[in-house]
PDB file of all heavy atoms in Angstrom:
ATOM      1  N   HIS L  20      36.209  78.728 -64.513  1.00 32.00           N
ATOM      2  CA  HIS L  20      36.642  79.821 -65.382  1.00 32.00           C
ATOM      3  C   HIS L  20      35.816  79.952 -66.641  1.00 32.00           C
ATOM      4  O   HIS L  20      35.798  81.000 -67.255  1.00 32.00           O
ATOM      5  CB  HIS L  20      38.114  79.605 -65.795  1.00 32.00           C
ATOM      6  CG  HIS L  20      39.059  79.639 -64.644  1.00 32.00           C
ATOM      7  ND1 HIS L  20      39.482  80.812 -64.056  1.00 32.00           N
ATOM      8  CD2 HIS L  20      39.656  78.633 -63.943  1.00 32.00           C
ATOM      9  CE1 HIS L  20      40.316  80.541 -63.060  1.00 32.00           C
ATOM     10  NE2 HIS L  20      40.426  79.232 -62.974  1.00 32.00           N
ATOM     11  N   VAL L  43      30.393  73.936 -51.500  1.00 83.00           N
ATOM     12  CA  VAL L  43      29.477  73.170 -50.648  1.00 83.00           C
ATOM     13  C   VAL L  43      29.727  73.642 -49.229  1.00 83.00           C
ATOM     14  O   VAL L  43      30.797  73.417 -48.657  1.00 83.00           O
ATOM     15  CB  VAL L  43      29.713  71.659 -50.769  1.00 83.00           C
ATOM     16  CG1 VAL L  43      28.755  70.906 -49.847  1.00 83.00           C
ATOM     17  CG2 VAL L  43      29.529  71.199 -52.202  1.00 83.00           C
ATOM     18  N   SER L  78      18.167  70.550 -48.326  1.00 78.00           N
ATOM     19  CA  SER L  78      16.822  70.000 -48.115  1.00 78.00           C
ATOM     20  C   SER L  78      15.957  70.095 -49.368  1.00 78.00           C
ATOM     21  O   SER L  78      14.939  69.406 -49.477  1.00 78.00           O
ATOM     22  CB  SER L  78      16.125  70.735 -46.965  1.00 78.00           C
ATOM     23  OG  SER L  78      15.985  72.115 -47.273  1.00 78.00           O
ATOM     24  N   LYS L  79      16.349  70.960 -50.335  1.00 80.00           N
ATOM     25  CA  LYS L  79      15.576  71.104 -51.568  1.00 80.00           C
ATOM     26  C   LYS L  79      16.064  70.164 -52.672  1.00 80.00           C
ATOM     27  O   LYS L  79      15.505  70.143 -53.767  1.00 80.00           O
ATOM     28  CB  LYS L  79      15.629  72.555 -52.066  1.00 80.00           C
ATOM     29  CG  LYS L  79      14.894  73.537 -51.161  1.00 80.00           C
ATOM     30  CD  LYS L  79      14.899  74.931 -51.737  1.00 80.00           C
ATOM     31  CE  LYS L  79      14.178  75.922 -50.833  1.00 80.00           C
ATOM     32  NZ  LYS L  79      12.739  75.666 -50.763  1.00 80.00           N
ATOM     33  N   ARG L 111      21.746  72.271 -63.972  1.00 85.00           N
ATOM     34  CA  ARG L 111      22.891  71.525 -64.507  1.00 85.00           C
ATOM     35  C   ARG L 111      24.146  72.392 -64.416  1.00 85.00           C
ATOM     36  O   ARG L 111      24.150  73.556 -64.814  1.00 85.00           O
ATOM     37  CB  ARG L 111      22.648  71.125 -65.959  1.00 85.00           C
ATOM     38  CG  ARG L 111      23.756  70.242 -66.529  1.00 85.00           C
ATOM     39  CD  ARG L 111      23.418  69.713 -67.895  1.00 85.00           C
ATOM     40  NE  ARG L 111      23.335  70.791 -68.867  1.00 85.00           N
ATOM     41  CZ  ARG L 111      23.080  70.600 -70.159  1.00 85.00           C
ATOM     42  NH1 ARG L 111      22.861  69.388 -70.616  1.00 85.00           N
ATOM     43  NH2 ARG L 111      23.020  71.627 -70.982  1.00 85.00           N
ATOM     44  N   ALA L 127      37.920  66.834 -61.025  1.00 78.00           N
ATOM     45  CA  ALA L 127      37.207  67.954 -60.401  1.00 78.00           C
ATOM     46  C   ALA L 127      35.724  67.656 -60.269  1.00 78.00           C
ATOM     47  O   ALA L 127      35.092  67.928 -59.235  1.00 78.00           O
ATOM     48  CB  ALA L 127      37.420  69.221 -61.230  1.00 78.00           C
ATOM     49  N   SER L 166       8.639  65.514 -52.609  1.00 55.00           N
ATOM     50  CA  SER L 166       7.346  66.193 -52.687  1.00 55.00           C
ATOM     51  C   SER L 166       7.493  67.600 -52.119  1.00 55.00           C
ATOM     52  O   SER L 166       8.538  67.957 -51.582  1.00 55.00           O
ATOM     53  CB  SER L 166       6.265  65.415 -51.925  1.00 55.00           C
ATOM     54  OG  SER L 166       6.618  65.288 -50.561  1.00 55.00           O
ATOM     55  N   ASN L 207      15.924  47.232 -53.974  1.00 72.00           N
ATOM     56  CA  ASN L 207      17.395  47.152 -54.071  1.00 72.00           C
ATOM     57  C   ASN L 207      18.043  48.454 -54.543  1.00 72.00           C
ATOM     58  O   ASN L 207      19.170  48.449 -55.058  1.00 72.00           O
ATOM     59  CB  ASN L 207      17.824  46.011 -55.002  1.00 72.00           C
ATOM     60  CG  ASN L 207      17.253  44.669 -54.578  1.00 72.00           C
ATOM     61  OD1 ASN L 207      17.216  44.356 -53.384  1.00 72.00           O
ATOM     62  ND2 ASN L 207      16.797  43.875 -55.540  1.00 72.00           N
ATOM     63  N   ASN L 221      -6.330  61.723 -62.806  1.00 95.00           N
ATOM     64  CA  ASN L 221      -7.289  60.613 -62.855  1.00 95.00           C
ATOM     65  C   ASN L 221      -6.553  59.299 -63.115  1.00 95.00           C
ATOM     66  O   ASN L 221      -5.321  59.270 -63.229  1.00 95.00           O
ATOM     67  CB  ASN L 221      -8.391  60.850 -63.902  1.00 95.00           C
ATOM     68  CG  ASN L 221      -7.842  61.035 -65.305  1.00 95.00           C
ATOM     69  OD1 ASN L 221      -6.681  60.761 -65.582  1.00 95.00           O
ATOM     70  ND2 ASN L 221      -8.671  61.498 -66.215  1.00 95.00           N
ATOM     71  N   VAL L 255       2.848  54.174 -64.938  1.00 96.00           N
ATOM     72  CA  VAL L 255       2.137  53.024 -65.506  1.00 96.00           C
ATOM     73  C   VAL L 255       2.499  51.781 -64.709  1.00 96.00           C
ATOM     74  O   VAL L 255       3.681  51.420 -64.602  1.00 96.00           O
ATOM     75  CB  VAL L 255       2.497  52.817 -66.996  1.00 96.00           C
ATOM     76  CG1 VAL L 255       1.711  51.643 -67.567  1.00 96.00           C
ATOM     77  CG2 VAL L 255       2.228  54.078 -67.800  1.00 96.00           C
ATOM     78  N   LEU L 261      -3.973  38.107 -61.898  1.00 91.00           N
ATOM     79  CA  LEU L 261      -3.993  37.494 -60.572  1.00 91.00           C
ATOM     80  C   LEU L 261      -5.276  37.876 -59.864  1.00 91.00           C
ATOM     81  O   LEU L 261      -5.627  39.051 -59.792  1.00 91.00           O
ATOM     82  CB  LEU L 261      -2.778  37.965 -59.760  1.00 91.00           C
ATOM     83  CG  LEU L 261      -2.686  37.479 -58.309  1.00 91.00           C
ATOM     84  CD1 LEU L 261      -2.557  35.970 -58.256  1.00 91.00           C
ATOM     85  CD2 LEU L 261      -1.511  38.152 -57.606  1.00 91.00           C
ATOM     86  N   GLY L 323     -10.018  51.954 -69.901  1.00 94.00           N
ATOM     87  CA  GLY L 323      -9.140  52.396 -70.982  1.00 94.00           C
ATOM     88  C   GLY L 323      -9.759  52.211 -72.346  1.00 94.00           C
ATOM     89  O   GLY L 323      -9.150  51.633 -73.261  1.00 94.00           O
ATOM     90  N   GLU L 327     -17.877  55.718 -77.743  1.00 94.00           N
ATOM     91  CA  GLU L 327     -18.135  56.190 -79.110  1.00 94.00           C
ATOM     92  C   GLU L 327     -17.239  55.471 -80.113  1.00 94.00           C
ATOM     93  O   GLU L 327     -17.677  55.087 -81.196  1.00 94.00           O
ATOM     94  CB  GLU L 327     -17.916  57.709 -79.191  1.00 94.00           C
ATOM     95  CG  GLU L 327     -18.897  58.530 -78.383  1.00 94.00           C
ATOM     96  CD  GLU L 327     -20.330  58.350 -78.881  1.00 94.00           C
ATOM     97  OE1 GLU L 327     -20.523  58.251 -80.111  1.00 94.00           O
ATOM     98  OE2 GLU L 327     -21.248  58.296 -78.046  1.00 94.00           O
ATOM     99  N   TYR L 328     -15.972  55.286 -79.759  1.00 96.00           N
ATOM    100  CA  TYR L 328     -15.043  54.603 -80.661  1.00 96.00           C
ATOM    101  C   TYR L 328     -15.401  53.131 -80.806  1.00 96.00           C
ATOM    102  O   TYR L 328     -15.186  52.531 -81.863  1.00 96.00           O
ATOM    103  CB  TYR L 328     -13.611  54.753 -80.143  1.00 96.00           C
ATOM    104  CG  TYR L 328     -12.570  54.112 -81.030  1.00 96.00           C
ATOM    105  CD1 TYR L 328     -12.342  54.566 -82.323  1.00 96.00           C
ATOM    106  CD2 TYR L 328     -11.796  53.041 -80.566  1.00 96.00           C
ATOM    107  CE1 TYR L 328     -11.390  53.979 -83.145  1.00 96.00           C
ATOM    108  CE2 TYR L 328     -10.840  52.452 -81.373  1.00 96.00           C
ATOM    109  CZ  TYR L 328     -10.638  52.924 -82.665  1.00 96.00           C
ATOM    110  OH  TYR L 328      -9.691  52.334 -83.469  1.00 96.00           O
ATOM    111  N   GLU L 345       8.083  51.775 -79.755  1.00 92.00           N
ATOM    112  CA  GLU L 345       6.911  50.987 -80.133  1.00 92.00           C
ATOM    113  C   GLU L 345       5.920  50.982 -78.977  1.00 92.00           C
ATOM    114  O   GLU L 345       6.303  50.892 -77.812  1.00 92.00           O
ATOM    115  CB  GLU L 345       7.321  49.559 -80.476  1.00 92.00           C
ATOM    116  CG  GLU L 345       6.188  48.701 -80.990  1.00 92.00           C
ATOM    117  CD  GLU L 345       6.629  47.296 -81.344  1.00 92.00           C
ATOM    118  OE1 GLU L 345       7.759  46.917 -80.968  1.00 92.00           O
ATOM    119  OE2 GLU L 345       5.847  46.565 -81.986  1.00 92.00           O
ATOM    120  N   PRO L 361       7.502  56.414 -73.914  1.00 85.00           N
ATOM    121  CA  PRO L 361       7.011  57.108 -72.721  1.00 85.00           C
ATOM    122  C   PRO L 361       5.490  57.134 -72.681  1.00 85.00           C
ATOM    123  O   PRO L 361       4.849  57.061 -73.733  1.00 85.00           O
ATOM    124  CB  PRO L 361       7.558  58.520 -72.909  1.00 85.00           C
ATOM    125  CG  PRO L 361       7.579  58.702 -74.398  1.00 85.00           C
ATOM    126  CD  PRO L 361       7.913  57.361 -74.973  1.00 85.00           C
ATOM    127  N   GLU L 377      -1.293  59.031 -95.807  1.00 81.00           N
ATOM    128  CA  GLU L 377      -0.942  57.784 -96.505  1.00 81.00           C
ATOM    129  C   GLU L 377       0.173  57.993 -97.515  1.00 81.00           C
ATOM    130  O   GLU L 377       0.618  57.037 -98.145  1.00 81.00           O
ATOM    131  CB  GLU L 377      -2.173  57.229 -97.223  1.00 81.00           C
ATOM    132  CG  GLU L 377      -3.318  56.873 -96.302  1.00 81.00           C
ATOM    133  CD  GLU L 377      -4.532  56.351 -97.057  1.00 81.00           C
ATOM    134  OE1 GLU L 377      -4.512  55.158 -97.406  1.00 81.00           O
ATOM    135  OE2 GLU L 377      -5.461  57.136 -97.300  1.00 81.00           O
ATOM    136  N   PHE L 384       0.335  50.195 -94.376  1.00 91.00           N
ATOM    137  CA  PHE L 384       0.300  51.066 -93.202  1.00 91.00           C
ATOM    138  C   PHE L 384       0.005  52.512 -93.586  1.00 91.00           C
ATOM    139  O   PHE L 384       0.099  52.898 -94.745  1.00 91.00           O
ATOM    140  CB  PHE L 384       1.642  51.014 -92.455  1.00 91.00           C
ATOM    141  CG  PHE L 384       2.044  49.643 -91.993  1.00 91.00           C
ATOM    142  CD1 PHE L 384       3.036  48.932 -92.652  1.00 91.00           C
ATOM    143  CD2 PHE L 384       1.428  49.058 -90.907  1.00 91.00           C
ATOM    144  CE1 PHE L 384       3.416  47.673 -92.235  1.00 91.00           C
ATOM    145  CE2 PHE L 384       1.788  47.790 -90.484  1.00 91.00           C
ATOM    146  CZ  PHE L 384       2.791  47.098 -91.151  1.00 91.00           C
ATOM    147  N   LYS L 493       8.523  67.993-108.108  1.00 60.00           N
ATOM    148  CA  LYS L 493       9.657  68.517-108.880  1.00 60.00           C
ATOM    149  C   LYS L 493      10.422  69.559-108.061  1.00 60.00           C
ATOM    150  O   LYS L 493      11.655  69.604-108.063  1.00 60.00           O
ATOM    151  CB  LYS L 493       9.151  69.153-110.182  1.00 60.00           C
ATOM    152  CG  LYS L 493      10.259  69.618-111.125  1.00 60.00           C
ATOM    153  CD  LYS L 493       9.672  70.158-112.421  1.00 60.00           C
ATOM    154  CE  LYS L 493      10.782  70.554-113.392  1.00 60.00           C
ATOM    155  NZ  LYS L 493      11.707  71.527-112.843  1.00 60.00           N
ATOM    156  N   LYS L 501      20.049  70.684-105.480  1.00 57.00           N
ATOM    157  CA  LYS L 501      20.880  71.840-105.141  1.00 57.00           C
ATOM    158  C   LYS L 501      21.613  71.623-103.820  1.00 57.00           C
ATOM    159  O   LYS L 501      22.785  71.970-103.681  1.00 57.00           O
ATOM    160  CB  LYS L 501      20.002  73.086-105.051  1.00 57.00           C
ATOM    161  CG  LYS L 501      19.510  73.589-106.400  1.00 57.00           C
ATOM    162  CD  LYS L 501      18.617  74.814-106.205  1.00 57.00           C
ATOM    163  CE  LYS L 501      18.067  75.294-107.555  1.00 57.00           C
ATOM    164  NZ  LYS L 501      17.157  76.453-107.382  1.00 57.00           N
TER     165      LYS L 501
END
Side-chain angles (χ1 to χ4, degrees):
H20 297 282
V43 179
S78 61
K79 292 184 181 292
R111 185 173 66 178
S166 60
N207 304 319
N221 59 13
V255 182
L261 177 63
E327 294 297 322
Y328 182 64
E345 185 179 13
E377 298 179 81
F384 302 105
K493 185 177 183 303
K501 288 179 182 178

